[in-house]
Every structure is written in structure tokens, then in C-alpha cells.
């Protein structure tokens, strides 16, 4: 039983510092029970007696594999298809027609789903794009989908979802872009081929060079402190093309964080410098 593992203050402080240093995620005291529950399972799997032993494992040179498991365990991945539907409406109604005109010379479009979780967001983007201006599907169009958690990107790359997790997909998109297999909903190849899934720590190096036309980073920075948010949005601005779009979560805003974007819709911004 996980109650046998007492999470002492010193161990909680060590774990909080480690996740902050590694992933930029702030673990407040109110997350203590959540962390206790998630990591209690890891202690049982590893045959450890207490959290002090677990902290020592993470601090050793051989603890890199467990560090990935630790980060996966403490990150949350709540999402669904077409979450915050107004973003996808704006993508279809404003952004994609603008790109069809503005990018006609290069015939190139790049979209990044940062913090993609189990893939519902990038697949929602891909379906919206595939239903948009037909010319875009003949272009060099790619959607990058990244997440810190190795487990969720592995799941996302399969493109297979339980039926009850897909109820928010519009019927027209469901009929056109998915199929049923063994009781599950499977994304069609047309959609899967648009997306590249990869693991990425937003606090680490970014191997992609951009520029991106659109970046979705929704309900991610709420876990970061203000200095980390400032650095992150500055990096986004560097990677987004002039007048490109940044889309963030419903509980987030850029006020006091950066002046490199202007608000053009509900939690929708354009780069201005």
C-alpha cells in the first residue's frame, strides 16, 4: 500500500527542485498528494523502501532512465479532441486562408503543437488543415508535435483512440478522416502523414530551425514560473515568422510576460516583433 511510503519534507523539496531544474515545472505544496500517489507506484516497481532511496537513485549517474520515468510520472496529460474549439474555428476561418495567400511563393507551412500530450491536439489541427483550402495539401506542409513525456508521444504516434475519447470530433471530420478498427477509432493515413511526433524538453535545446507559421502551446506554461514563461515565449517569438500566430490555453495570458505578440482573438496572438 502506498501509505507505507511517507513523503518527508526534505524529499519533497529535492523532488520539486529536480523537476524544476529538469523540466521547469513548479510543484507547489498542493501537488504533494498527487506526487505521493504517482511516485509511490514507482517505488513499488523498483522495490524501494522510501522516498529517500528514490531521491538517491535519481541523483546517481545511473539514474537517467529513472529520471525519464520520474518526469513522465509527475506530468499531467489531460486533453481531448478539439478542446477550446474556438481555436480551431479561428485556424479554419482566418489563419489557413491567410497562409494560402501569404505563403503562395514558398508553398510551405509549418505548425508546431508544443506539449501535444496523447495527440488529440495535433490530430485536431491536421483534420482542420485537411478540411481547409485544398491548395495547402499540395504544399510542403508539416505539423510537428512534441511532448516531454515519452509515454504519451508513443501513444499519440499510433493514432488509435478508444471510442469514448473521440466524441468531440465533429461528425463530418469523423466520417472523412477516421475509421473503426476493433472497436477503436483510427486516424486515416492522410492525417497521420501530416504529423511528426517527437520528444522535447521545452527547457532544453530545440533542434528545429523554423520558421513556424503557427505554434500551439496550450495549458503548458501554467506549470512554469514567470521567469521560465518569459524565456519560453521569447524563444517562441524567435521561431515564429513575422506576423505568425501563437495560440495559448484558456487560463493563460501574455500580460507582463512578453511584448512581442499582440492579442488578436481569445488567447490567440500574432508576433509583432
Amino acid at each position: 500500500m502506498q501509505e507505507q511510503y511517507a513523503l518527508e519534507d526534505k524529499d519533497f523539496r529535492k523532488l520539486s527542485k529536480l523537476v524544476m531544474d529538469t523540466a521547469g515545472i513548479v510543484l507547489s505544496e498542493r501537488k504533494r498528494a498527487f506526487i505521493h500517489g504517482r511516485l509511490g507506484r514507482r517505488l513499488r516497481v523498483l522495490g524501494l523502501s522510501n522516498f529517500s532511496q528514490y531521491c538517491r537513485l535519481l541523483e546517481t549517474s545511473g539514474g537517467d532512465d529513472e529520471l525519464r520515468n520520474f518526469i513522465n510520472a509527475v506530468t499531467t496529460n489531460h486533453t481531448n479532441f478539439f478542446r477550446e474549439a474556438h481555436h480551431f474555428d479561428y485556424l479554419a476561418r482566418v489563419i489557413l486562408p491567410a497562409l494560402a495567400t501569404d505563403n503562395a511563393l514558398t508553398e510551405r507551412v509549418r505548425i508546431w503543437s508544443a506539449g501535444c500530450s496523447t495527440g488529440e491536439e495535433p490530430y485536431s489541427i491536421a483534420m482542420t488543415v485537411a478540411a481547409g483550402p485544398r491548395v495547402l495539401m499540395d504544399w510542403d506542409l508539416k505539423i510537428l508535435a512534441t511532448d516531454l513525456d515519452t509515454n504519451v508521444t508513443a501513444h499519440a504516434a499510433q493514432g488509435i483512440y478508444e471510442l469514448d475519447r473521440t466524441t468531440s470530433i465533429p461528425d463530418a471530420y469523423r466520417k472523412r478522416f477516421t475509421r473503426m478498427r476493433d472497436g477503436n477509432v483510427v486516424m486515416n493515413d492522410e492525417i497521420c502523414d501530416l504529423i511528426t511526433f517527437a520528444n522535447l524538453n521545452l527547457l532544453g535545446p530545440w533542434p528545429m530551425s523554423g520558421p513556424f507559421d503557427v505554434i500551439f502551446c496550450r495549458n503548458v506554461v501554467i506549470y512554469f514560473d514567470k521567469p521560465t514563461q518569459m524565456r519560453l515565449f521569447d524563444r517562441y517569438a524567435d521561431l515564429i515568422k513575422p506576423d505568425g500566430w501563437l495560440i495559448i490555453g484558456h487560463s493563460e495570458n501574455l500580460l507582463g510576460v512578453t511584448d512581442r505578440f499582440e492579442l488578436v482573438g481569445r488567447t490567440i496572438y500574432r508576433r509583432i516583433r
Side-chain angles (χ1 to χ4, degrees):
M1 297 175 63
Q2 77 178 43
E3 286 75 12
Q4 75 186 83
Y5 305 116
L7 181 52
E8 304 291 344
D9 289 347
K10 62 181 177 61
D11 295 325
F12 182 67
R13 287 194 297 270
K14 282 185 178 180
L15 294 170
S16 297
K17 185 178 186 305
L18 181 58
V19 76
M20 177 63 188
D21 292 345
T22 304
I25 297 172
V26 177
L27 293 182
S28 63
E29 181 63 31
R30 63 187 178 87
K31 288 281 191 179
R32 188 172 183 138
F34 168 79
I35 297 303
H36 183 258
R38 286 289 184 95
L39 294 182
R41 301 169 195 161
R42 292 303 306 157
L43 268 65
R44 288 195 296 277
V45 168
L46 296 167
L48 301 178
S49 302
N50 53 61
F51 279 96
S52 293
Q53 290 181 348
Y54 188 68
C55 289
R56 286 195 292 272
L57 171 62
L58 292 173
E59 290 168 346
T60 64
S61 58
D64 288 349
D65 287 341
E66 184 53 33
L67 180 61
R68 284 191 289 272
N69 290 324
F70 166 63
I71 296 299
N72 289 349
V74 302
T75 51
T76 55
N77 297 288
H78 172 71
T79 187
N80 55 272
F81 286 96
F82 293 91
R83 184 182 185 185
E84 300 179 53
H86 65 282
H87 288 156
F88 299 98
D89 173 67
Y90 191 91
L91 177 65
R93 183 170 46 84
V94 177
I95 297 177
L96 295 178
L99 293 178
T101 299
D102 297 345
N103 293 13
L105 288 178
T106 63
E107 297 187 350
R108 176 188 185 276
V109 173
R110 292 291 184 273
I111 301 173
W112 179 14
S113 168
C116 68
S117 188
T118 44
E120 286 88 340
E121 178 177 276
Y123 285 118
S124 299
I125 296 169
M127 285 186 273
T128 304
V129 169
R134 182 61 215 176
V135 66
L136 297 180
M137 295 298 286
D138 297 325
W139 289 4
D140 177 13
L141 190 154
K142 295 178 181 176
I143 300 167
L144 173 65
T146 66
D147 200 278
L148 178 66
D149 189 329
T150 56
N151 293 327
V152 297
T153 51
H155 178 279
Q158 296 176 12
I160 302 172
Y161 296 89
E162 295 175 357
L163 182 60
D164 62 0
R165 293 183 60 184
T166 66
T167 56
S168 54
I169 299 177
D171 288 343
Y173 287 2
R174 182 192 301 275
K175 292 174 183 176
R176 179 175 171 183
F177 299 124
T178 74
R179 64 188 186 278
M180 294 297 298
R181 187 175 73 199
D182 300 328
N184 294 317
V185 175
V186 182
M187 298 295 127
N188 288 349
D189 290 346
E190 176 186 14
I191 298 304
C192 293
D193 290 347
L194 293 175
I195 307 170
T196 298
F197 288 97
N199 295 113
L200 182 72
N201 184 341
L202 290 174
L203 268 63
W206 294 356
M208 56 282 196
S209 58
F212 285 93
D213 299 281
V214 189
I215 293 180
F216 283 72
C217 182
R218 306 188 305 163
N219 307 302
V220 173
V221 303
I222 54 174
Y223 301 106
F224 299 158
D225 62 15
K226 186 62 71 70
T228 303
Q229 291 180 21
M230 294 171 71
R231 291 193 299 271
L232 180 62
F233 284 120
D234 193 52
R235 294 179 76 184
Y236 282 149
D238 289 341
L239 215 54
I240 294 176
K241 73 171 188 178
D243 295 323
W245 289 267
L246 173 68
I247 299 177
I248 63 176
H250 69 278
S251 61
E252 301 163 335
N253 68 76
L254 302 187
L255 184 64
V257 176
T258 179
D259 61 357
R260 300 185 65 182
F261 297 90
E262 67 174 356
L263 184 67
V264 294
R266 185 152 49 111
T267 55
I268 302 168
Y269 294 82
R270 292 194 82 169
R271 180 189 157 189
I272 57 175
R273 69 178 190 86

